[in-house]
Amino acid sequence: KHFPDALALIGEETLLVDFARNPKSSLISIKARPYHYLDRAIIIGDAAHSMVPFYGQGLNCGLEDVRILQTVFSARGIDGYGSNKRPKVHSEANGDADVDKALEAALEEYSRTRYSDLTAISELAMNNYVEMRHDVTTPLYRILKAIDTLLASLGPSVPLDALAPLLARVSYPSLKTRAWIPLYTMVTFRPDISYALA
């Protein structure tokens, strides 16, 4: 209906062969910890927390990792070169003597504070799979969703553009919520609410 020429352009035989040969694998979640090693390296995004795709938050979560890491660095006065303003070169002969302790502490803070959010979004994604697989077909789900939507419509909206300067300085500002916010809205459209809080 929407792409009537697709089959002719791709070829029916090609589609059938590609479908049959498509590698199948399990969907998994990775919950690594810690995310850093000394002041040498840090993993973010899917390397640190791959998740099942049922909430559609993989890329968003990876970008949020960058934002949160930047707020930690800014709060601790860390720039791109570490605490003493020049690139560090690790030497095994020196052992830990050349470890940038300020950078190591910042990476430790990131690993410690980010873990609860990353495990929360992994769990939310898996729970959303169950919801989409079964719950959406039940009358009770539809009633609860209608109530959820109604309650959310009664409260004020938050101008997200006003949050941007604050989110550049603070990972999650402690703003008072004055209205009902549906879970999906908290996770998908509210960068000021952490995954763990949602």
Side-chain angles (χ1 to χ4, degrees):
K1 175 182 172 182
H2 295 288
F3 304 100
D5 59 343
L7 185 59
L9 290 171
I10 298 170
E12 185 174 352
E13 183 65 28
T14 300
L15 282 175
L16 292 171
V17 168
D18 286 351
F19 182 79
R21 289 185 182 163
N22 184 35
K24 296 153 196 76
S25 59
S26 300
L27 295 172
I28 61 168
S29 292
I30 294 175
K31 299 172 188 169
R33 189 175 188 185
Y35 306 116
H36 74 289
Y37 174 72
L38 300 173
D39 65 336
R40 309 287 190 256
I42 186 161
I43 56 173
I44 60 174
D46 283 349
H49 52 77
S50 69
M51 64 189 84
V52 295
F54 304 114
Y55 226 116
Q57 287 296 300
L59 176 61
N60 185 53
C61 188
L63 293 173
E64 187 177 82
D65 288 347
V66 173
R67 183 182 67 80
I68 301 297
L69 186 58
Q70 180 59 43
T71 61
V72 170
F73 283 176
S74 292
R76 291 176 166 267
I78 305 289
D79 64 12
Y81 291 116
S83 60
N84 52 354
K85 312 288 186 209
R86 61 182 180 78
K88 306 245 347 142
V89 178
H90 178 66
S91 166
E92 289 297 326
N94 293 342
D96 285 350
D98 61 345
V99 171
D100 183 331
K101 294 298 185 184
L103 180 57
E104 181 182 26
L107 297 178
E108 166 59 35
E109 178 183 341
Y110 172 84
S111 285
R112 182 177 32 79
T113 59
R114 193 74 175 127
Y115 183 74
S116 62
D117 287 323
L118 300 178
T119 55
I121 189 56
S122 291
E123 311 247 341
L124 285 165
M126 187 51 78
N127 292 343
N128 201 49
Y129 166 69
V130 173
E131 182 177 305
M132 300 305 288
R133 180 190 69 200
H134 171 71
D135 295 351
V136 295
T137 62
T138 66
L140 178 61
Y141 176 86
R142 292 182 189 147
I143 291 168
L144 292 174
K145 250 332 161 189
I147 293 169
D148 206 27
T149 303
L150 174 67
L151 290 174
S153 71
L154 298 175
S157 63
V158 172
L160 295 180
D161 56 341
L163 286 174
L166 183 58
L167 290 171
R169 295 187 317 272
V170 181
S171 297
Y172 298 106
S174 45
L175 303 173
K176 300 285 185 206
T177 303
R178 299 183 311 253
W180 178 259
I181 305 172
L183 176 61
Y184 187 79
T185 301
M186 284 192 279
V187 169
T188 308
F189 301 110
R190 293 293 301 269
D192 59 317
I193 299 175
S194 71
Y195 293 125
L197 183 61

